[in-house]
């Protein structure tokens, strides 16, 4: 058993020991020693000179009187200093592990008799446990954990917190070296035993070093790494990207009490701090553009650095140990590159705008805002009313839910803020009932907040922090609402009683938006604008974007034409290529046309001094300075004063595109600052040469150019339209977009992975119950699986004779017999099996199997084919399903309720609506009218629950599902839903659910081709899809839809097949893959298909059959076709 007396770090702490080991002295002996020393030195006061040392030096053992302990103590002199006319010594009390300062005249000689027993406080260190730190190399853009020479403050704090929280400490002695005990510490925290050595290693505060040799080699490695990094960081750093880097590495440098020297940090990083005075000086906004690091943002600075940053701020954070524990528990690695720039001004209460590729991450603002909110003293002058201190506005309920969960997680270890998530619909009564008493933080959407504000006019009376999450989405979806909230906030904060309270607006996002400039000018005070996405910085900087559409072979000529003029001012031009050959080719072309040009690439010796010397030289107005280079040279040049960037080769990514644009950052125009100076001559220009080789990136560049307000060439619009069409063709095998089906529109069509056009092979009527096409569209449906408020899976119920009900009874009766429950040996994809779900047995289909089946019991994804839901089950749960139970087609149908959508431009239903509808309709039969059908999807309007009143012998409508959704206030009318679906092409003739007709088809052949004639009069619209063994023909005539799905008897050449429309028929010419006669057209007989005997004679005359078996064989086939046709002539369509 041990008791900790003093802690400096995990490699230097003192303990007192209890036990019966040979090196442990009983506590009674120390008490006796203390009594004898007090008696001796108290008596010796009369003859001080006898016990007073002649000389004093550092490290000398002595005895001093401790005013704190009121007794004489053994001590070691640590330092000697001159103060106020006399000398003082700093002494370490070896039995108590305490430091004390005494005058030199009060130091006494340590008598030999009092030095016989060991010191009571034993100096210890954790056995084989050495410190580590995070090493960030800005030149290489890397961050990694490396051995360190000293412990981080956060590691020491964590070590102290573990020892403080313990109820019992035990130490295992492993070695003794230089009077220092190497120990393994075990502590008991809440009845759980923890090894501190292991704990520090697991939290990445330490590493294990097994032997002293390893320690030496690692120390040597540390020295090597330090020396290399010091060379990379000269004292004078010119790079403007580091000018306002926050103090993330600021640490208190402790005094090494063993040596008397201060201990320097093992980290060679240079840090920069902007004083609090500087932060509040001037009236101009601080705008800084920072290029993003190529490394992943999620590994910039460790958690302890974040905590030190919070502590280094003048605004101290209470309960930081608890926050550290929470962050560590959540495996938070530390602030990202963008967060390291945003957190300091946010934590100081400054207005901040942050635009970054990670701008949709709430962690850009949550930690520093929580830090500021802990300062209760800042809000004492606020009126004593109900109202939030902070308001966080999110673009939708889903994002608001995420932010709210993060606030609950990271706010529970701090002052109670009682955050509230408020999502209100158009139901005014709900807004009236909403109470916000005691709430300090509200998370909501602009629409919901204004609905609440209508009934609570005091919401702004205490509001100090206004946060906009994903500001570009808020401005695009709710511009009016956002500015209404800003106006109300501005009117409130200018009142005299709130003048000296903190007022802060934070806006974060991924894209620059034109409204952000107004936000900064009209509503912010000296804001920080941090932009780490360079392509967005160029929009902020008003870079003139030009797109030149050309063929690849014309690029050089266009480049020469662009440079063939005399500018009014000096033009510094960068020409970016993607290969060494292109650099040489472009440079030679410029040189041949008498244009002064520099070049640099990876295969040419990097002579940066020469290039920069010519680039930075003074030139007269009217000259060009052109540098041709590759992207891998940019970071070494550090150019920021280019006036034009020409993308001779298209950038491979947005990061590379932004990196190129950053070379013009000195010429970015500050759109926030009002200036009467004509800056046209300094306006930066970016020229993109778009060729046929860059088709895959055309969509992205067009979206970017629209946001940059660039002039878009007409040919680029046409080019992009073709690319968009090609992109859609690539998605042709994908499922139809769920948003398109549910709401009639997909907002993110260009990035949506799913299909937005009809594919008859997938979307044609398949496995649709006959009763659905035999009715006028009015059916009884049974919703069994609720996806969301308007999307369900279930069955269409036949009231007279429901085949599925009979089948389900037979299946459950069959599996009641234990001998019939036969587990399958191997799960095959798409195969049908039986599965017991609670007490009932269901038909299921395997839709997904794991790629590697490492053991017998693996999970597979199955679908209940008669209900529509999916789940994961073990393969061992699947049972063999007899063939007689597999004949009935899957009964699950997808139902979508029409003409209703979420409020506030949301694209997903709020869970509250889905939960309400789920409990109201699941498992209950409803009457519905089918409006549209496509494949296995049915659009219904209305969908009504009908109840029979047995006493009155009548039926009443209990509720309409659409009306129930609207009554929640979270749904609104969507009148264009069906119209938008009809625009897809195939559905526009199915408003009244006219069933599709199979047209009359006649066919004949020759040796090379097969001609199929589809008899349809007045074809208005048609589509014919060819595949190797199938032809799908669809057409509209009048108010009827005709569909012919023909699975061919033999293969065809799709590229040589065609379809021609004539007056009353369509002629489909199929080119045979192998020459020769076909015995029949289709694999399976069809009553609507027959051989065309009008061409029989032609076939007989021109055919390859002279006489004999081949001709007889063909004749028999034709006869068979004729018999099939005549047998089923009664069901042929007359259309």
């Amino acid at each position: 058993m041990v008791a900790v007396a003093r802690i400096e770090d995990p490699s230097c702490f003192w303990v007192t020991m209890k036990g019966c080991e040979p090196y442990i002295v009983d506590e009674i002996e120390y008490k006796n020693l203390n009594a004898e020393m007090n008696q001796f030195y108290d008596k010796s006061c009369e003859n001080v000179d006898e016990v007073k040392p002649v000389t004093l030096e550092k490290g000398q053992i002595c005895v001093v009187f401790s005013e704190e302990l009121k007794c004489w103590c053994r001590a070691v002199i640590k330092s000697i200093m001159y103060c106020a006319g006399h000398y003082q010594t700093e002494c370490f009390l070896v039995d108590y592990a305490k430091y004390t300062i005494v005058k030199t005249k009060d130091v006494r000689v340590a008598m030999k008799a009092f030095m016989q027993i060991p010191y009571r406080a034993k100096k210890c260190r954790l056995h084989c446990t050495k410190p580590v730190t995070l090493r960030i190399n800005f030149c290489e853009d890397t961050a990694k954990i490396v051995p360190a020479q000293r412990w981080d403050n956060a590691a020491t704090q964590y070590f102290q917190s573990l020892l403080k929280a313990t109820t019992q400490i035990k130490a295992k002695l492993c070695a003794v070296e230089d009077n220092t005990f190497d120990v393994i510490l075990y502590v008991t925290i809440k009845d759980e035993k923890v090894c501190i050595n292991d704990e520090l290693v697991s939290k990445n505060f330490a590493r294990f070093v097994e032997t002293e040799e390893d320690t030496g080699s690692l120390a040597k490695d540390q020295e090597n790494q330090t020396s290399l990094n010091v060379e990379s960081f000269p004292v004078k750093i010119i790079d403007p990207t580091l000018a306002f880097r926050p103090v993330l590495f600021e640490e208190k440098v402790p005094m090494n009490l063993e040596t008397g020297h201060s201990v320097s940090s093992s980290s060679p990083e240079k840090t920069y701090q902007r004083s609090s005075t500087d932060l509040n000086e001037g009236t101009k906004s601080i705008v800084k553009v920072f290029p993003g690091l190529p490394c992943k943002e999620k590994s910039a600075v460790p958690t302890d650095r974040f905590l030190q940053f919070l502590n280094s701020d003048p605004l101290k954070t209470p309960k930081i140990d608890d926050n550290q524990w929470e962050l560590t528990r959540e495996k938070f690695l530390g602030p990202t590159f963008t967060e390291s720039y945003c957190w300091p001004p946010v934590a100081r209460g400054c207005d901040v705008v942050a635009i970054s590729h990670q701008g949709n991450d709430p962690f850009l603002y949550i930690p520093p805002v929580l830090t500021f909110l802990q300062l209760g003293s800042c809000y004492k002058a606020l009126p004593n009313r109900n109202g939030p201190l902070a308001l966080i506005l999110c673009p939708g309920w889903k994002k608001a839910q995420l932010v709210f969960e993060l606030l609950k997680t990271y706010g529970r270890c701090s002052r109670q803020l009682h955050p509230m998530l408020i999502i209100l619909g158009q139901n005014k009564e709900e807004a009236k009932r909403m109470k916000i008493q005691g709430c300090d933080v509200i998370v909501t959407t602009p629409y919901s907040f204004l609905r609440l504000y209508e009934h609570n006019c005091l919401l702004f009376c205490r509001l100090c922090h206004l946060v906009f999450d994903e500001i570009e989405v808020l401005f695009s979806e709710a511009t009016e609402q956002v500015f209404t909230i800003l106006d109300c906030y501005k009117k409130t904060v200018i009142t005299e009683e709130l003048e000296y309270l903190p007022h802060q607006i934070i806006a974060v996002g991924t894209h620059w938006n034109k409204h952000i400039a107004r936000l900064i000018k009209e509503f912010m005070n000296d804001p920080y604008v941090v932009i780490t996405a360079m392509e967005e910085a160029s929009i902020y900087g008003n870079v003139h974007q030009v797109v030149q559409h050309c063929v690849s072979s014309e690029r050089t000529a266009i480049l020469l034409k662009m440079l063939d003029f005399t500018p009014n001012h000096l033009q510094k031009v960068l020409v970016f290529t993607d290969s060494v050959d292109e650099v040489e080719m472009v440079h030679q072309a410029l040189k041949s046309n008498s244009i002064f040009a520099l070049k640099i690439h990876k295969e040419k010796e990097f002579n940066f001094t020469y290039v920069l010397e010519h680039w930075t030289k003074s030139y007269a107005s009217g000259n060009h300075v052109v540098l041709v280079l590759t992207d891998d040279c940019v970071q070494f040049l550090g150019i920021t004063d280019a006036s034009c960037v020409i993308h001779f080769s298209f950038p491979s990514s947005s990061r590379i595109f932004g990196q190129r644009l950053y070379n013009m950052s000195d010429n970015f125009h500050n759109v926030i600052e009002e200036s009467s100076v004509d800056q046209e001559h300094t306006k930066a220009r970016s020229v993109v040469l778009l060729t046929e080789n860059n088709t895959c990136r055309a969509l992205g560049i067009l979206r970017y150019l629209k946001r940059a307000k660039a002039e878009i060439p007409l040919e680029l619009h046409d080019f992009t339209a073709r690319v968009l069409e090609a992109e859609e063709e690539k998605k042709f095998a994908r499922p139809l977009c769920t948003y398109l089906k549910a709401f009639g529109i997909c907002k993110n069509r260009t990035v949506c992975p799913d299909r937005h056009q009809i594919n008859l092979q997938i979307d044609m009527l398949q496995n649709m119950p006959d009763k659905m096409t035999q009715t006028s569209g009015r059916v009884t449906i049974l919703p069994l699986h609720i996806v969301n408020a308007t999307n369900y899976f279930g069955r269409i119920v036949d009231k007279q004779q429901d085949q599925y009900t009979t089948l389900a009874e037979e299946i459950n009766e069959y599996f009641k017999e234990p001998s019939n429950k036969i587990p399958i040996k191997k799960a095959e994809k798409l195969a049908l099996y039986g599965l017991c779900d609670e007490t009932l047995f269901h038909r299921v289909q395997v839709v997904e199997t794991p790629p590697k089946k490492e053991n017998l019991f693996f999970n597979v994804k199955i679908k209940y084919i008669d209900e529509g839901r999916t789940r994961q089950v073990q393969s061992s749960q699947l049972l063999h399903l007899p063939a007689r139970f597999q004949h009935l087609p899957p009964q699950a149908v997808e139902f979508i309720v029409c003409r209703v959508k979420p409020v506030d431009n949301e694209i997903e239903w709020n869970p509250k609506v889905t939960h309400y509808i789920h409990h109201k309709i699941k498992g209950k039969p409803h009457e519905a009218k089918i409006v549209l059908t496509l494949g296995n999807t049915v659009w219904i309007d209305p969908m009504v629950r009908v109840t029979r009143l047995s006493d009155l012998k009548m039926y009443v409508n209990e509720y309409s599902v659409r009306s129930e959704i609207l009554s929640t206030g979270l749904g609104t009318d969507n009148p264009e839903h069906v119209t938008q679906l009809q625009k897809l092409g195939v559905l526009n003739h199915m408003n009244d659910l006219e069933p599709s007709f199979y047209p009359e088809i006649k066919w004949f052949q020759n040796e090379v081709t097969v001609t199929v004639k589809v008899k349809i009069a007045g074809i208005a619209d048609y589509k014919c899809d060819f595949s190797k063994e199938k032809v799908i023909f669809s057409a509209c005539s009048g108010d009827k839809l005709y569909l012919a799905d023909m699975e061919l008897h033999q293969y065809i050449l799709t590229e040589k097949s065609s379809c021609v429309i004539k007056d009353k028929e369509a002629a489909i010419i199929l080119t045979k893959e192998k020459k020769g006669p076909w015995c029949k057209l289709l694999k399976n007989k069809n009553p609507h298909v027959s051989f065309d005997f009008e061409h029989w004679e032609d076939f007989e005359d021109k055919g390859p059959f002279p006489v004999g078996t081949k001709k007889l064989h063909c004749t028999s086939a034709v006869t068979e076709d004729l018999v099939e046709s005549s047998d089923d002539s009664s069901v042929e369509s007359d259309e």
Side-chain angles (χ1 to χ4, degrees), residues 360-363 365-366 370 390-412 416-423 434 438-445 467 469:
N360 55 0
D361 187 353
F363 243 67
Y365 59 84
I366 284 181
L370 286 178
L391 171 63
I392 301 177
L393 295 173
C394 300
W397 68 263
K398 208 167 189 177
K399 185 60 178 289
Q401 180 74 42
L402 170 64
V403 173
F404 177 67
E405 294 298 332
L406 288 172
L407 285 174
K408 287 200 301 182
T409 299
Y410 294 101
R412 60 190 174 201
Q416 291 299 312
L417 301 173
H418 306 289
M420 282 185 67
L421 173 65
I422 298 178
I423 303 296
M434 182 64 64
C439 167
D440 284 340
V441 182
I442 286 179
V443 184
T444 184
T445 65
V467 182
D469 191 296

Side-chain angles (χ1 to χ4, degrees), residues 10 21 35 228 239 284 312 315 338 349 414 680 705 735 801 821 829 946 1010 1070 1085 1126:
E21 300 295 333
L228 287 172
D239 189 350
K284 294 183 178 180
S312 70
L315 307 175
T338 305
S414 57
E680 282 301 315
L705 292 174
Q801 183 181 4
K821 297 177 183 178
K829 190 174 181 180
V946 177
V1010 174
L1070 307 177
K1085 76 173 186 175
S1126 63

Side-chain angles (χ1 to χ4, degrees), residues 637-654:
L637 292 171
I639 294 173
T640 57
D641 62 343
S643 55
C644 179
V645 167
I646 299 176
H647 307 272
F648 189 84
S649 295
F650 203 87
S652 58
S653 67
S654 60

Side-chain angles (χ1 to χ4, degrees), residues 654-896:
S654 60
R655 186 184 67 82
I656 295 296
F657 186 55
Q659 180 178 284
R660 292 178 179 182
L661 297 176
Y662 179 70
N663 290 278
M664 301 185 290
S665 58
D666 288 356
N667 292 318
F668 284 3
H669 173 51
N670 190 345
V671 298
I672 299 170
E673 297 179 3
E674 298 291 347
S675 176
S676 58
V677 179
D678 181 15
Q679 297 190 359
E680 282 301 315
H681 69 278
T682 61
K683 189 172 183 180
R685 191 163 66 113
S686 168
V687 182
V688 179
L689 301 184
L690 188 63
T691 71
E692 71 279 4
N693 299 326
N694 312 126
T695 55
C696 59
R697 304 187 186 100
L699 293 176
I701 193 67
L702 180 61
R703 288 196 297 268
Y704 174 78
L705 292 174
K706 284 181 178 178
R707 292 195 297 110
K709 295 182 179 179
E711 183 177 345
I712 301 171
L714 181 61
E715 59 267 22
L716 181 57
H717 277 294
D718 298 336
F719 180 68
T720 305
R722 293 194 300 271
V723 173
L724 184 61
E725 185 178 347
E727 288 295 316
E728 280 296 326
E729 290 296 331
K730 292 179 183 177
K731 307 177 192 175
F732 208 53
R734 294 280 304 166
L736 192 63
C737 173
T738 55
Y739 298 107
L740 192 65
K741 293 195 293 184
F743 310 124
I745 187 171
C746 177
K747 289 186 177 182
N748 302 313
R749 184 165 179 164
T750 55
V751 295
C752 177
D754 290 332
R755 176 169 46 88
H756 301 89
Q757 57 182 329
I758 297 301
N759 181 349
L760 287 176
Q761 290 182 325
I762 299 176
D763 298 327
M764 66 178 187
L765 294 174
Q766 46 185 305
N767 297 329
M768 191 63 66
D770 293 337
K771 50 186 169 288
M772 195 190 79
T773 58
Q774 293 169 359
T775 65
S776 61
R778 300 184 183 278
V779 292
T780 301
I781 67 172
L782 184 66
L784 298 170
H785 173 53
I786 313 302
V787 179
N788 56 46
T790 57
N791 185 217
Y792 333 119
F793 283 88
R795 295 198 304 273
I796 295 177
V797 180
D798 189 335
K799 295 181 179 179
Q800 297 178 352
Q801 183 181 4
D802 191 4
Q803 291 180 318
Y804 174 75
T805 303
T806 305
L807 177 68
E809 292 174 354
E810 292 177 359
I811 290 176
N812 282 275
E813 189 66 30
Y814 172 81
F815 281 116
K816 279 183 181 180
E817 184 64 38
S819 60
N820 292 332
K821 297 177 183 178
I822 306 172
I824 65 169
K825 295 181 179 179
K826 181 181 179 182
E828 298 289 346
K829 190 174 181 180
L830 302 182
L832 296 182
Y833 302 106
L835 177 68
C836 181
D837 192 351
E838 295 181 352
T839 58
L840 298 177
F841 289 87
H842 301 267
R843 299 192 301 170
V844 298
Q845 183 180 43
V846 175
V847 294
E848 191 176 304
T849 58
K852 291 184 179 179
K853 303 164 187 171
E854 298 178 355
N855 52 57
L856 182 62
F857 304 103
F858 56 89
N859 285 343
V860 294
K861 185 178 181 181
I862 57 99
K863 178 180 180 180
Y864 293 77
I865 63 173
D866 301 312
E867 294 184 10
R869 58 190 172 107
T870 60
R871 62 177 283 206
Q872 293 275 348
V873 299
Q874 282 196 344
S875 59
S876 58
Q877 294 178 254
L878 300 178
L879 305 175
H880 174 71
L881 186 68
R884 68 176 185 272
F885 298 140
Q886 301 184 25
H887 292 318
L888 185 68
Q891 296 296 293
V893 177
E894 182 182 22
F895 302 108
I896 297 177

Side-chain angles (χ1 to χ4, degrees), residues 249 318 354 553 613 835 882 1015 1045 1056:
F249 303 94
S553 59
E613 182 181 323
L835 177 68
K1015 303 290 185 179
D1045 182 4
K1056 294 184 178 181

Side-chain angles (χ1 to χ4, degrees), residues 1-34:
M1 295 282 292
V2 299
V4 178
R6 182 182 184 82
I7 300 173
E8 289 189 8
D9 58 49
S11 293
C12 184
F13 59 95
W14 285 264
V15 301
T16 59
M17 300 184 178
K18 298 179 182 180
C20 55
E21 300 295 333
Y23 50 82
I24 298 178
V25 178
D26 193 274
E27 192 68 23
I28 295 176
E29 293 192 36
Y30 287 111
K31 289 183 180 179
N32 294 336
L33 173 66
N34 193 9

